Amino acid sequence: MSLTILVTGATAGFGEAMTRRFIRDGHRVIAAARRRERLDALRAELGERLLPFPLDVTDAPSIAGLPATLPTGWQEVDVLVNNAGLALGMDPAQRAKLTDWDRMVATNVSGLMHMTHALLPGMVARDRGHIVNLGSTAGTYPYPGGHVYGASKAFVKQFSLNLRADLVGSNVRVTDLEPGLVGGTEFSRVRFGGDAERAAKVYAGTQPLSADDIAEAIAWIIGLPPHVNVNRLEMMPTCQANGPLTIKRAE
Ligand code: NDP
Ligand code: 8X3
Protein backbone atom coordinates (compact mmCIF):
# COMPACT_ATOMS: atom_id res chain seq x y z
CA MET A 1 0.00 0.00 0.00
CA SER A 2 1.39 3.38 -1.05
CA LEU A 3 1.43 5.91 1.81
CA THR A 4 1.88 9.68 1.88
CA ILE A 5 4.68 10.33 4.38
CA LEU A 6 5.81 13.74 5.64
CA VAL A 7 9.42 13.68 6.83
CA THR A 8 10.83 16.71 8.66
CA GLY A 9 14.59 17.12 8.35
CA ALA A 10 14.69 15.29 5.01
CA THR A 11 17.85 16.99 3.72
CA ALA A 12 20.44 15.04 5.75
CA GLY A 13 21.10 12.09 8.01
CA PHE A 14 18.15 9.93 9.06
CA GLY A 15 15.60 12.04 7.19
CA GLU A 16 17.40 11.73 3.88
CA ALA A 17 17.97 7.98 4.36
CA MET A 18 14.32 7.33 5.21
CA THR A 19 13.17 9.50 2.29
CA ARG A 20 15.19 7.35 -0.12
CA ARG A 21 13.91 4.19 1.56
CA PHE A 22 10.25 5.24 1.49
CA ILE A 23 10.43 6.19 -2.19
CA ARG A 24 12.08 2.86 -2.95
CA ASP A 25 9.26 1.11 -1.07
CA GLY A 26 6.68 2.78 -3.34
CA HIS A 27 5.47 5.53 -1.00
CA ARG A 28 5.14 9.29 -1.63
CA VAL A 29 7.25 11.62 0.51
CA ILE A 30 6.69 15.24 1.47
CA ALA A 31 10.32 16.18 2.14
CA ALA A 32 10.46 19.10 4.61
CA ALA A 33 13.55 21.01 5.75
CA ARG A 34 15.14 24.44 5.45
CA ARG A 35 17.77 23.87 2.74
CA ARG A 36 15.77 24.30 -0.45
CA GLU A 37 18.62 23.39 -2.83
CA ARG A 38 18.98 19.99 -1.17
CA LEU A 39 15.24 19.40 -1.41
CA ASP A 40 15.36 20.27 -5.10
CA ALA A 41 18.29 17.90 -5.64
CA LEU A 42 16.35 15.10 -3.95
CA ARG A 43 13.35 15.78 -6.16
CA ALA A 44 15.56 15.72 -9.28
CA GLU A 45 17.04 12.41 -8.18
CA LEU A 46 13.98 10.65 -6.75
CA GLY A 47 11.21 11.89 -9.04
CA GLU A 48 7.64 13.04 -8.74
CA ARG A 49 6.72 10.86 -5.77
CA LEU A 50 8.82 13.33 -3.76
CA LEU A 51 7.35 16.73 -2.96
CA PRO A 52 9.99 19.26 -1.84
CA PHE A 53 8.47 21.30 0.98
CA PRO A 54 10.72 24.06 2.37
CA LEU A 55 9.87 24.38 6.04
CA ASP A 56 11.45 25.59 9.26
CA VAL A 57 9.80 23.70 12.14
CA THR A 58 10.48 26.65 14.43
CA ASP A 59 8.27 28.87 12.24
CA ALA A 60 4.93 28.33 13.97
CA PRO A 61 2.77 30.38 11.55
CA SER A 62 3.87 28.40 8.50
CA ILE A 63 3.12 25.11 10.29
CA ALA A 64 -0.29 26.33 11.47
CA GLY A 65 -1.44 26.43 7.82
CA LEU A 66 -0.82 22.70 7.34
CA PRO A 67 -2.22 20.55 5.80
CA ALA A 68 -4.11 23.14 3.70
CA THR A 69 -0.82 24.64 2.43
CA LEU A 70 0.10 21.32 0.81
CA PRO A 71 -0.84 20.91 -2.86
CA THR A 72 -4.11 19.16 -3.72
CA GLY A 73 -3.63 15.41 -3.56
CA TRP A 74 -0.94 15.66 -0.86
CA GLN A 75 -3.03 16.91 2.07
CA GLU A 76 -3.99 13.54 3.54
CA VAL A 77 -0.78 12.66 5.34
CA ASP A 78 -0.70 8.99 6.42
CA VAL A 79 2.59 9.12 8.30
CA LEU A 80 4.33 12.07 9.95
CA VAL A 81 7.96 11.48 10.87
CA ASN A 82 9.00 14.19 13.32
CA ASN A 83 12.70 13.80 12.67
CA ALA A 84 14.06 17.38 12.48
CA GLY A 85 16.10 17.98 15.59
CA LEU A 86 19.47 18.98 16.90
CA ALA A 87 21.86 19.11 19.82
CA LEU A 88 23.91 22.25 20.37
CA GLY A 89 27.03 22.19 22.52
CA MET A 90 28.24 19.74 25.12
CA ASP A 91 29.64 22.06 27.78
CA PRO A 92 28.31 21.56 31.28
CA ALA A 93 25.01 23.28 31.98
CA GLN A 94 26.64 26.08 33.94
CA ARG A 95 28.64 27.09 30.84
CA ALA A 96 25.98 26.40 28.20
CA LYS A 97 24.59 29.20 26.04
CA LEU A 98 21.00 30.09 26.77
CA THR A 99 20.45 30.72 23.04
CA ASP A 100 21.47 27.09 22.36
CA TRP A 101 19.00 25.84 24.95
CA ASP A 102 16.24 27.96 23.43
CA ARG A 103 16.97 26.70 19.94
CA MET A 104 16.95 23.04 21.01
CA VAL A 105 13.58 23.53 22.72
CA ALA A 106 12.19 25.47 19.74
CA THR A 107 13.21 22.71 17.32
CA ASN A 108 13.01 19.43 19.24
CA VAL A 109 10.03 20.26 21.45
CA SER A 110 7.93 23.11 19.99
CA GLY A 111 8.59 22.19 16.35
CA LEU A 112 7.56 18.58 16.91
CA MET A 113 4.55 19.70 18.95
CA HIS A 114 3.37 22.16 16.27
CA MET A 115 3.72 19.59 13.46
CA THR A 116 1.72 17.11 15.50
CA HIS A 117 -0.96 19.67 16.34
CA ALA A 118 -1.34 20.54 12.65
CA LEU A 119 -1.59 17.02 11.28
CA LEU A 120 -3.13 14.90 14.04
CA PRO A 121 -6.77 16.11 13.65
CA GLY A 122 -6.86 14.95 10.00
CA MET A 123 -5.50 11.55 10.96
CA VAL A 124 -8.12 11.18 13.67
CA ALA A 125 -10.91 12.29 11.30
CA ARG A 126 -9.79 9.64 8.78
CA ASP A 127 -9.20 7.12 11.59
CA ARG A 128 -5.86 6.31 9.97
CA GLY A 129 -2.36 7.58 10.56
CA HIS A 130 0.98 7.17 12.25
CA ILE A 131 3.26 9.66 13.97
CA VAL A 132 6.85 8.50 14.37
CA ASN A 133 8.87 10.76 16.67
CA LEU A 134 12.65 10.77 16.83
CA GLY A 135 13.50 10.50 20.49
CA SER A 136 16.88 9.35 21.69
CA THR A 137 18.57 7.25 24.33
CA ALA A 138 19.54 10.70 25.64
CA GLY A 139 15.91 11.06 26.74
CA THR A 140 16.33 8.16 29.15
CA TYR A 141 19.99 8.02 30.18
CA PRO A 142 21.69 11.21 31.40
CA TYR A 143 25.23 12.08 30.34
CA PRO A 144 27.47 15.08 31.03
CA GLY A 145 26.65 17.91 28.64
CA GLY A 146 23.29 16.35 27.72
CA HIS A 147 21.17 18.77 29.82
CA VAL A 148 18.60 20.37 27.51
CA TYR A 149 19.13 18.00 24.57
CA GLY A 150 18.37 14.96 26.75
CA ALA A 151 15.49 16.77 28.42
CA SER A 152 14.00 17.65 25.04
CA LYS A 153 14.09 13.98 24.06
CA ALA A 154 12.50 13.00 27.38
CA PHE A 155 9.68 15.35 26.37
CA VAL A 156 9.42 13.58 23.02
CA LYS A 157 9.15 10.21 24.75
CA GLN A 158 6.47 11.25 27.24
CA PHE A 159 4.53 13.27 24.66
CA SER A 160 4.45 10.19 22.40
CA LEU A 161 3.18 7.98 25.21
CA ASN A 162 0.57 10.54 26.23
CA LEU A 163 -0.66 10.86 22.63
CA ARG A 164 -1.23 7.11 22.64
CA ALA A 165 -3.34 7.50 25.76
CA ASP A 166 -5.63 9.93 23.93
CA LEU A 167 -5.70 7.85 20.75
CA VAL A 168 -6.38 4.48 22.36
CA GLY A 169 -8.90 2.50 20.33
CA SER A 170 -8.33 4.59 17.18
CA ASN A 171 -6.30 3.51 14.17
CA VAL A 172 -3.83 6.36 14.68
CA ARG A 173 -0.50 5.07 15.89
CA VAL A 174 2.36 6.83 17.68
CA THR A 175 5.92 5.59 18.05
CA ASP A 176 8.92 7.03 19.85
CA LEU A 177 12.09 5.74 18.17
CA GLU A 178 15.08 6.11 20.49
CA PRO A 179 18.45 5.54 18.84
CA GLY A 180 21.78 5.71 20.62
CA LEU A 181 25.06 6.28 18.77
CA VAL A 182 24.45 6.82 15.04
CA GLY A 183 27.24 7.92 12.72
CA GLY A 184 27.42 9.28 9.19
CA THR A 185 25.00 12.18 9.75
CA GLU A 186 25.47 15.90 10.39
CA PHE A 187 24.36 15.58 14.03
CA SER A 188 27.73 15.93 15.78
CA ARG A 189 29.04 18.53 13.33
CA VAL A 190 26.00 20.65 14.12
CA ARG A 191 26.45 20.01 17.84
CA PHE A 192 30.06 21.19 17.74
CA GLY A 193 29.44 24.27 15.59
CA GLY A 194 30.90 22.82 12.38
CA ASP A 195 34.07 21.35 13.97
CA ALA A 196 34.43 18.23 11.80
CA GLU A 197 37.47 16.93 13.68
CA ARG A 198 35.74 17.03 17.05
CA ALA A 199 32.64 15.49 15.51
CA ALA A 200 34.66 12.60 14.04
CA LYS A 201 36.08 11.77 17.48
CA VAL A 202 32.57 10.89 18.72
CA TYR A 203 32.61 7.84 16.44
CA ALA A 204 36.34 6.98 16.50
CA GLY A 205 36.97 3.27 17.02
CA THR A 206 33.26 2.38 16.97
CA GLN A 207 30.84 0.86 14.54
CA PRO A 208 27.84 3.08 15.21
CA LEU A 209 24.35 2.57 13.82
CA SER A 210 23.84 4.17 10.39
CA ALA A 211 21.05 6.34 9.05
CA ASP A 212 20.04 3.35 6.90
CA ASP A 213 19.61 1.26 10.08
CA ILE A 214 17.17 3.90 11.34
CA ALA A 215 15.34 3.97 8.00
CA GLU A 216 15.07 0.17 8.11
CA ALA A 217 13.53 0.29 11.60
CA ILE A 218 10.97 2.93 10.57
CA ALA A 219 10.07 1.02 7.41
CA TRP A 220 9.33 -1.98 9.64
CA ILE A 221 7.39 0.05 12.22
CA ILE A 222 5.06 1.67 9.67
CA GLY A 223 4.65 -1.57 7.71
CA LEU A 224 3.27 -3.56 10.64
CA PRO A 225 -0.44 -4.51 10.55
CA PRO A 226 -2.60 -1.49 11.53
CA HIS A 227 -3.54 -2.92 14.95
CA VAL A 228 0.12 -3.12 16.01
CA ASN A 229 1.61 -0.06 17.75
CA VAL A 230 5.29 0.06 18.61
CA ASN A 231 5.20 2.44 21.58
CA ARG A 232 8.95 2.86 22.09
CA LEU A 233 11.89 1.33 20.31
CA GLU A 234 15.37 1.82 21.77
CA MET A 235 18.26 0.98 19.45
CA MET A 236 22.00 0.89 20.09
CA PRO A 237 24.97 -0.46 18.18
CA THR A 238 26.61 -3.48 19.78
CA CYS A 239 29.58 -1.29 20.76
CA GLN A 240 27.32 0.72 23.10
CA ALA A 241 25.45 -0.22 26.28
CA ASN A 242 23.96 1.42 29.33
CA GLY A 243 26.91 2.45 31.46
CA PRO A 244 27.20 2.29 35.21
CA LEU A 245 26.58 5.32 37.40
CA THR A 246 29.59 7.62 37.28
CA ILE A 247 31.52 8.75 40.37
CA LYS A 248 34.12 11.50 40.09
CA ARG A 249 36.97 10.87 42.54
CA ALA A 250 39.41 13.46 43.82
CA GLU A 251 42.71 13.33 41.90
P1 NDP B 1 21.26 15.67 11.03
O1 NDP B 1 21.87 16.87 11.65
O2 NDP B 1 22.08 14.84 10.11
O3 NDP B 1 19.93 16.09 10.24
C1 NDP B 1 19.00 16.95 10.85
C2 NDP B 1 17.95 17.34 9.84
O4 NDP B 1 17.03 18.21 10.48
C3 NDP B 1 18.51 18.07 8.64
O5 NDP B 1 17.85 17.61 7.48
C4 NDP B 1 18.14 19.54 8.89
O6 NDP B 1 17.90 20.13 7.62
C5 NDP B 1 16.84 19.36 9.68
N1 NDP B 1 16.51 20.49 10.55
C6 NDP B 1 17.24 21.01 11.56
N2 NDP B 1 16.61 22.07 12.09
C7 NDP B 1 15.46 22.22 11.38
C8 NDP B 1 14.38 23.14 11.43
N3 NDP B 1 14.36 24.17 12.31
N4 NDP B 1 13.35 23.00 10.57
C9 NDP B 1 13.36 21.99 9.66
N5 NDP B 1 14.35 21.09 9.55
C10 NDP B 1 15.39 21.22 10.41
O7 NDP B 1 20.69 14.80 12.26
P2 NDP B 1 20.37 13.23 12.37
O8 NDP B 1 19.84 12.72 11.11
O9 NDP B 1 21.53 12.56 12.99
O10 NDP B 1 19.23 13.27 13.49
C11 NDP B 1 17.86 13.28 13.16
C12 NDP B 1 17.04 13.21 14.42
O11 NDP B 1 17.39 12.06 15.18
C13 NDP B 1 17.22 14.40 15.36
O12 NDP B 1 15.98 14.68 15.97
C14 NDP B 1 18.20 13.87 16.40
O13 NDP B 1 18.07 14.53 17.63
C15 NDP B 1 17.78 12.44 16.49
N6 NDP B 1 18.80 11.49 16.93
C16 NDP B 1 20.06 11.48 16.37
C17 NDP B 1 20.99 10.56 16.78
C18 NDP B 1 22.38 10.53 16.25
O14 NDP B 1 23.27 9.98 16.93
N7 NDP B 1 22.65 11.04 15.06
C19 NDP B 1 20.65 9.56 17.81
C20 NDP B 1 19.32 9.67 18.34
C21 NDP B 1 18.44 10.59 17.89
P3 NDP B 1 18.01 21.68 7.25
O15 NDP B 1 19.29 22.18 7.87
O16 NDP B 1 18.02 21.65 5.75
O17 NDP B 1 16.78 22.31 7.79
C1 8X3 C 1 21.85 11.36 19.91
C2 8X3 C 1 22.53 10.35 20.74
O1 8X3 C 1 24.07 10.02 22.73
O2 8X3 C 1 24.63 11.81 21.18
O3 8X3 C 1 20.56 11.55 20.37
O4 8X3 C 1 22.79 12.04 22.70
S1 8X3 C 1 23.55 11.11 21.89
Side-chain angles (χ1 to χ4, degrees), residues 152 208 213 234 249:
S152 75
D213 295 329
E234 184 181 290
R249 317 238 172 228

Side-chain angles (χ1 to χ4, degrees), residues 128-207:
R128 190 183 76 240
H130 200 151
I131 297 177
V132 180
N133 290 328
L134 261 298
S136 167
T137 50
T140 303
Y141 312 106
Y143 61 81
H147 36 79
V148 168
Y149 177 69
S152 75
K153 294 301 184 180
F155 170 90
V156 173
K157 173 171 58 183
Q158 198 61 24
F159 184 52
S160 306
L161 297 176
N162 280 339
L163 286 174
R164 280 288 303 136
D166 286 342
L167 295 167
V168 66
S170 79
N171 286 313
V172 180
R173 303 186 281 181
V174 184
T175 300
D176 188 40
L177 181 60
E178 303 165 9
L181 189 72
V182 191
T185 79
E186 297 180 352
F187 178 83
S188 290
R189 227 175 321 142
V190 170
R191 177 171 226 166
F192 299 129
D195 185 339
E197 205 176 316
R198 189 169 173 207
K201 282 192 187 138
V202 173
Y203 312 100
T206 74
Q207 183 179 357

Side-chain angles (χ1 to χ4, degrees), residues 9 11-12 14 34-35 55-57 83 135 149 153 179-180 185-186:
T11 49
F14 303 0
R34 294 165 303 178
R35 283 171 288 182
L55 179 77
D56 182 338
V57 298
N83 164 75
Y149 177 69
K153 294 301 184 180
T185 79
E186 297 180 352

